Amino acid sequence: VGGLGGGSAGGDGSTGGESDAGGTPLPPPRKISSLSEILTTRVADRYCVRTGVGQLWAWQAEALGAPGVLDGTTDLVAVAPTSGGKSAVAEALLLRAPLYRHRLGLLVVPFVALADQKLADIDYALDGAEIGRRKARVFASHGAARPPPPGCTDPLDAHIVVATAEKALALIARAIEIDRFSDIGCVVVDEAHLVGDEGRGHVLERLLTLSVLAKEKARRRGTPAPQIVCVSATLPNAKEIAGWLTNARLVVGTSRPVPLRHWFLDGNCLVELGTSAHAPQQQQQ
């Protein structure tokens, strides 16, 4: 990935710095401790019931509280170990797009099985919610997707779309073609390291490239553009990707709240090698 050279708050993709491009001091980070502070109480409670996530860890609070992240004007690249809380950060921003800005939230996942799991989680969280005097509409877009919600045959008219990369690329391309790119409020790319995958990485790269170019065009026109959120557990070139996106902030969480257990197969027996130590709660920019 490379070549676009999008701007970043820190100039090197790491998103440090104390002012914006015009020299205006940035507001201090917001102090957040739970999802109920940034989502509606009902949605936060239902999301917690479904996923077990309610309170935030230090690095999650830092990522969500960074200037511009909650209002969707700053892109985000979040890297943390497996079970380190990346999904909660990404899905909170995804849900905020329709809840507070009345714009579509698009979640891009690599596999159909993962799409179905995420769809069930988000559908449960939004069940019974009304957005703009309409019942929340959650749309699946992949080869084996269930039928769309009643009265919503076009995914661009949904509130949340969960899609595989190929379907998401087609959706973004069509939104640009029919001048509805501004209707998309947030694009979350889960497992963003797959942009380097030999088989399907080119699809994610095209999706991100198209989005970045369309965001730049929207900026020049003065029209809204979606926030881009990339999350991964293994993203060695995270700074490069943050620099490639427009105005992206990079946050790295190094803690693993869930211990990693190591096993090997000896004939027909599984033998445990040991349990990883808990890394201290810390984050870097």
Side-chain angles (χ1 to χ4, degrees):
V1 176
L4 290 181
S8 65
D12 64 351
S14 61
T15 68
E18 298 299 328
S19 64
D20 62 17
T24 303
L26 293 174
R30 286 186 56 177
K31 294 183 179 180
I32 305 167
S33 61
S34 69
L35 290 179
S36 61
E37 298 174 49
I38 58 174
L39 300 174
T40 65
T41 302
R42 176 185 172 84
V43 171
D45 288 347
R46 291 184 65 83
Y47 184 85
C48 183
V49 168
R50 181 75 186 188
T51 65
V53 178
Q55 298 299 117
L56 297 173
W57 295 316
W59 84 266
Q60 294 172 310
E62 185 210 2
L64 291 169
V69 171
L70 284 181
D71 64 18
T73 58
T74 298
D75 295 338
L76 178 68
V77 177
V79 182
T82 301
S83 299
K86 302 177 299 297
S87 293
V89 170
E91 289 164 17
L93 297 175
L94 181 82
L95 288 164
R96 283 183 62 85
L99 286 173
Y100 294 102
R101 301 198 298 280
H102 290 187
R103 294 165 65 197
L104 171 67
L106 173 61
L107 174 58
V108 186
V109 296
F111 311 115
V112 169
L114 184 57
D116 289 339
Q117 175 192 327
K118 294 296 185 181
L119 182 76
D121 292 345
I122 294 167
D123 207 12
Y124 184 89
L126 288 177
D127 185 47
E130 287 193 359
I131 300 173
R133 298 184 180 180
R134 292 191 308 171
K135 182 180 178 181
R137 296 170 169 179
V138 182
F139 198 108
S141 184
H142 56 74
R146 70 186 189 186
C152 185
T153 57
D154 188 337
L156 286 173
D157 294 328
H159 295 111
I160 298 287
V161 173
V162 183
T164 52
E166 292 79 5
K167 294 289 187 179
L169 174 60
L171 179 65
I172 290 174
R174 187 168 70 86
I176 294 171
E177 181 181 357
I178 64 176
D179 201 22
R180 291 190 62 183
F181 186 65
S182 61
D183 289 352
I184 304 174
C186 183
V187 177
V188 172
V189 178
D190 197 6
E191 308 293 352
H193 60 275
L194 291 176
V195 73
D197 181 73
E198 291 185 2
R200 300 171 67 197
H202 66 95
V203 179
L204 275 183
E205 186 168 354
R206 287 173 60 197
L207 183 154
L208 288 169
T209 301
L210 199 60
S211 298
V212 168
L213 293 176
K215 283 191 67 167
E216 178 58 25
K217 183 178 180 180
R219 185 190 65 80
R220 294 196 301 266
R221 293 169 58 184
T223 56
Q227 178 183 43
I228 300 175
V229 179
C230 294
V231 295
S232 175
T234 55
L235 201 60
N237 61 336
K239 285 188 178 181
E240 181 182 357
I241 290 180
W244 182 44
L245 299 176
T246 304
N247 190 32
R249 185 176 186 88
L250 170 63
V251 178
V252 180
T254 58
S255 64
R256 185 189 295 275
V258 177
L260 179 64
R261 302 176 67 184
H262 300 271
W263 303 72
F264 73 91
L265 183 64
D266 181 10
N268 293 325
C269 298
L270 279 174
V271 180
E272 185 173 9
L273 295 178
T275 303
S276 65
H278 289 230
Q281 282 275 1
Q282 60 184 31
Q283 58 282 326
Q284 63 188 48
Q285 296 182 351

